[in-house]
Amino acid sequence: MTKEVSEEPEVHHHGKDYVDPPPAPLLDLGELKLWSFYRALIAEFIATLLFLYVAVATVIGHKKLNAVDQCDGVGILGIAWAFGGMIFILVYCTAGISGGHINPAVTFGLFLARKVSLIRAVAYMVAQCLGGICGVGLVKAFMKSYYNKLGGGANSVSKGYNTGTALGAEIIGTFVLVYTVFSATDPKRSARDSHIPVLAPLPIGFAVFMVHLATIPITGTGINPARSFGAAVIYNNGKVWDDHWIFWVGPFVGALAAAAYHQYILRAAAIKALGSFRSNPTN
């Protein structure tokens, strides 16, 4: 008489069902030898160019129509859709090539979280700013008679608001955007919810849309230094340059706050590191 024994496969519980990618090296000189690195720079340049062309052209087109008839033009809602919609499209298109940053503040936040190296972060920012200049330059070339007359789509502090309010709006707006980027690309969520990576561009685009609704009346909405820099270079107005520092300091502070909040509060990176240190018998 034989006894049949069915054994269940041994299951190993590691405490979590995902693996965090290793932190990017601070300086990764090996990237400079890879075609994928330069392909990513081209993708960031073209994406930022297209983003600024469509978004700023929408702003100028709205102002042109609104000057003729106060009820005409797409309005703030339409402008917000142009910015948010283009980010959704371009993040979807470039996420697998460059990560779909299209914003120096996003790149800065991901660098602080050690998602990209310093070399890649700086190169991305340069490509994004050059793309922004070229994108706005195309708007001026195609809409030359209206571009300078209607403000060039440049960011500055609106009448009735002071510098502190504008800076605060840029910090909070960028915090919302970068926090959304971290949440939408979190490997923990991606592992447990398979639809998250596919849908990631959607919440990022919606974050840009919602922030524009809130801050267009205050600053015209920067939250992207490449967007503000490109418009400032092409429009080249004294008031715009006087306020321009707000559109670098605000987004970078907002990105810093979002990176710290996500990594050290929500993901508890500091506590995990301390716990690992204490549990190491060699220490």
Side-chain angles (χ1 to χ4, degrees):
M1 180 173 157
T2 60
K3 184 178 180 181
E4 295 182 358
V5 179
S6 60
E7 295 183 357
E8 295 183 359
E10 185 179 358
V11 179
H12 297 279
H13 296 283
H14 298 286
K16 63 180 183 178
D17 55 2
Y18 69 97
V19 177
D20 284 315
L26 182 61
L27 291 174
D28 188 0
L29 297 177
E31 287 187 309
L32 299 176
K33 301 177 182 179
L34 301 175
W35 161 242
S36 60
F37 173 74
Y38 297 99
R39 181 182 63 182
L41 293 184
I42 295 170
E44 286 291 310
F45 170 81
I46 295 297
T48 312
L49 182 155
L50 295 175
F51 170 56
L52 266 294
Y53 170 70
V54 171
V56 174
T58 302
V59 172
I60 302 301
H62 160 69
K63 289 186 175 182
K64 173 182 176 293
L65 294 174
N66 199 51
V68 176
D69 182 351
Q70 292 298 315
C71 296
D72 212 343
V74 296
I76 289 179
L77 184 63
I79 293 171
W81 271 121
F83 279 87
M86 279 304 290
I87 287 296
F88 165 64
I89 293 168
L90 294 169
V91 170
Y92 176 82
C93 292
T94 60
I97 301 172
S98 65
H101 296 194
I102 321 172
N103 185 336
V106 171
T107 300
F108 181 64
L110 293 174
F111 165 69
L112 294 177
R114 300 293 301 277
K115 306 292 185 183
V116 295
S117 69
L118 178 61
I119 289 176
R120 183 174 289 263
V122 172
Y124 272 25
M125 292 180 192
V126 172
Q128 290 156 359
C129 288
L130 291 176
I133 293 170
C134 293
V136 181
L138 287 176
V139 176
K140 184 174 182 179
F142 294 160
M143 308 175 76
K144 191 171 184 180
S145 59
Y146 297 99
Y147 179 83
N148 286 325
K149 184 168 63 175
L150 297 175
N155 293 121
S156 62
V157 181
S158 301
K159 292 181 180 179
Y161 297 95
N162 58 40
T163 299
T165 300
L167 181 61
E170 288 296 307
I171 292 173
I172 295 173
T174 310
F175 179 92
V176 171
L177 171 59
V178 178
Y179 172 42
T180 303
V181 170
F182 274 106
S183 298
T185 59
D186 191 330
K188 181 176 181 179
R189 297 188 67 197
S190 298
R192 296 179 180 178
D193 302 304
S194 60
H195 63 279
I196 293 296
V198 178
L199 294 180
L202 187 60
I204 295 171
F206 261 105
V208 172
F209 167 70
M210 297 303 295
V211 171
H212 274 75
L213 288 181
T215 58
I216 283 176
I218 303 173
T219 62
T221 308
I223 69 171
N224 183 336
R227 176 260 187 273
S228 302
F229 183 68
V233 169
I234 300 300
Y235 186 52
N236 197 26
N237 174 272
K239 172 68 164 60
V240 169
W241 283 119
D242 288 342
D243 295 342
H244 188 64
W245 66 272
I246 295 171
F247 302 99
W248 284 90
V249 174
F252 273 43
V253 171
L256 169 63
Y261 175 63
H262 185 268
Q263 294 296 104
Y264 294 101
I265 303 298
L266 300 186
R267 294 300 302 277
I271 296 175
K272 290 177 184 176
L274 181 60
S276 176
F277 177 80
R278 288 177 173 174
S279 63
N280 190 338
T282 62
N283 291 331

